[in-house]
Amino acid sequence: MATATSPSSLEALRGVIPLIGLTGGIGSGKSAVAKRLAQLGAAVIDTDLIAHRITANQGLAIPAIAAHFGQDFIAADGSLDRAKMRALVFSDPVARKQLEEITHPLIRAETLGDALAAYQKGAIYLVFVVPLLLESGNWRSVLDHLIVVDCLPEEQIERVMRRSKLSRTEVEQIMASQASRSERLNAADTVIENHAGLEELELQVDTLHQKLLKIRGRFSNSA
Ligand code: ATP
């Protein structure tokens, strides 16, 4: 389930700590970049992981999903039946909207909660991993810096097929529903080119981290 959250509640943290966005198309390498940033000390808040958390067994969204869509959409282990829900929302825009009306407010609240907790624990900057950042309205306006992970469409398809059970057609459908590559590149402050191996990716992220530390240095409350 892709996440498209509105971050208006993050306004409270603007000017207090650098708010960094990280986006890219499906399979572009967002998680790989986030993982390296976390190793370097960044506080990473991944809205996809939050979406999974609220739809896991005993997740915050499960009661409302069961009430609205029926127990059929809840798997035996108590989590959302993702394959079944994916099939429904791809063919039914009304169902997609209803699912989003349940999940998005919860994702927003959890995102803010995680951000505040990271700030209180002394984070140097906050990185929000948001797959549909450009598609979801006003994220761009609250961010101090936007990182876009880019690769060739064919690389995206190969990586996602290798990692998941999705077919080429399914991956292409998801890609078609996302912002275009040029829209993402136009919005970026920093583009991470993820064409080579993971080692080369880490070198780029190390340079990026230095840049983000400089942004941190411009904040009055920085150490
Ligand atoms: P999604 O949008 O589906 O969550 P993502 O943008 O977070 O994907 P990753 O999960 O980081 O992308 O990468 C997709 C897959 O490709 C993973 O299996 C990852 O290990 C692999 N991958 C990413 N970058 C590289 C690379 N430079 N070289 C080799 N494999 C890579």
Side-chain angles (χ1 to χ4, degrees):
M1 182 177 46
T3 45
T5 51
S6 147
S8 50
S9 52
L10 289 174
E11 285 288 348
L13 285 171
R14 282 209 78 191
V16 175
I17 182 168
L19 304 177
I20 313 298
L22 171 55
T23 194
I26 183 170
S28 56
K30 297 177 292 297
S31 303
V33 170
K35 185 173 164 203
R36 182 62 182 165
L37 284 172
Q39 284 169 352
L40 296 169
V44 173
I45 296 154
D46 187 327
T47 58
D48 242 7
L49 291 184
I50 291 175
H52 268 80
R53 188 165 86 207
I54 65 166
T55 53
N57 179 26
Q58 301 194 336
L60 294 174
I62 292 294
I65 290 172
H68 190 89
F69 293 95
Q71 202 60 35
D72 276 5
F73 282 84
I74 308 300
D77 68 357
S79 65
L80 171 68
D81 187 332
R82 288 173 210 288
K84 196 164 183 173
M85 185 58 87
R86 194 183 304 120
L88 176 69
V89 299
F90 260 111
S91 60
D92 183 346
V94 175
R96 171 184 288 264
K97 195 160 183 300
Q98 289 164 339
L99 178 66
E100 289 174 353
E101 279 168 7
I102 293 170
T103 55
H104 284 187
L106 294 170
I107 295 169
R108 270 200 293 281
E110 293 289 290
T111 300
L112 178 63
D114 286 3
L116 288 171
Y119 168 63
Q120 279 157 6
K121 271 173 53 190
I124 41 177
Y125 57 81
L126 301 178
V127 178
F128 298 93
V129 186
V130 188
L132 299 182
L133 188 145
L134 294 178
E135 296 84 338
S136 43
N138 55 351
W139 263 104
R140 193 65 190 90
S141 63
V142 300
L143 296 172
D144 296 296
H145 197 89
L146 177 60
I147 306 159
V148 168
V149 189
D150 183 55
C151 65
L152 297 171
E154 195 52 38
E155 291 169 323
Q156 281 179 272
I157 295 168
E158 277 168 21
R159 286 177 191 159
V160 176
M161 284 176 64
R162 209 180 314 134
R163 184 197 55 188
S164 67
K165 289 189 196 128
L166 296 179
S167 67
R168 169 173 284 270
T169 311
E170 284 170 315
V171 182
E172 284 174 344
Q173 271 175 355
I174 294 170
M175 286 168 65
S177 73
Q178 299 187 336
S180 69
R181 195 176 169 202
S182 62
E183 281 169 322
R184 277 193 295 267
L185 293 176
N186 282 337
D189 293 309
T190 295
V191 176
I192 298 287
E193 311 259 8
N194 190 15
H195 303 298
L198 290 169
E199 243 173 65
E200 156 62 26
L201 183 68
E202 287 188 0
L203 289 176
Q204 287 185 66
V205 179
D206 293 357
T207 305
L208 169 66
H209 176 63
Q210 294 307 319
K211 201 182 205 179
L212 298 178
L213 287 180
K214 283 197 186 131
I215 295 176
R216 165 72 184 173
R218 294 205 292 269
F219 279 64
S220 56
N221 63 338
S222 63

